[in-house]
Amino acid sequence: MRHMMSAKLHRARVTEANLNYVGSITIDEDLMDAVGVLANERVQVVNNNNGARLETYVIPGKRGSGTICLNGAAARLVQPDDRVIIIAYQWIANEDAREHQPKVAILNDKNEITQLMSTEPASTCIF
């Protein structure tokens, strides 16, 4: 078995940081569906603004809202308008790993999908 990236929301804009919530990350349910992330799924969040990395679980947010909200202790590692990468992983049988294609969504300033890919280019993306 190999632990492979299954989904990624690239350059999501944090819309809220709620320190007083129990915990997790709230993500617009439309974005979750686009890349196949489920409620309560474990994700890694990487903050492009300060380099912070954390793991948490997903709570569905209102559809079409563009919500990306870090809750609880994770709210200390982000600020509204920070750019984050949200990555989900899954275990894949070794014999299937080379054919595996994750779902990668590139987001704009409103957290709308501008591009949906099944592979990432080897070159550097400029935004």
Side-chain angles (χ1 to χ4, degrees), residues 20-59:
N20 295 312
Y21 192 79
V22 176
S24 70
I25 183 171
T26 304
I27 301 174
D28 176 328
E29 201 165 3
D30 285 343
L31 296 175
M32 291 172 56
D33 288 350
V35 295
V37 171
L38 301 177
N40 300 307
E41 186 167 354
R42 179 183 184 181
V43 292
Q44 179 182 44
V45 181
V46 181
N47 188 328
N48 285 357
N49 292 75
N50 64 21
R53 293 165 105 51
L54 63 106
E55 289 185 351
T56 190
Y57 62 93
V58 175
I59 292 178

Side-chain angles (χ1 to χ4, degrees), residues 92-105:
I92 298 175
N94 195 47
E95 59 271 12
D96 298 327
R98 292 194 190 281
E99 303 304 318
H100 170 68
Q101 294 188 340
K103 292 182 181 178
V104 178

Side-chain angles (χ1 to χ4, degrees), residues 9 34 49 57 65 67 69 75 85 94-95 98 104 108 114-115 121:
L9 295 170
N49 292 75
Y57 62 93
S65 66
T67 297
C69 177
I85 301 169
N94 195 47
E95 59 271 12
R98 292 194 190 281
V104 178
N108 66 13
T114 61
Q115 189 174 6

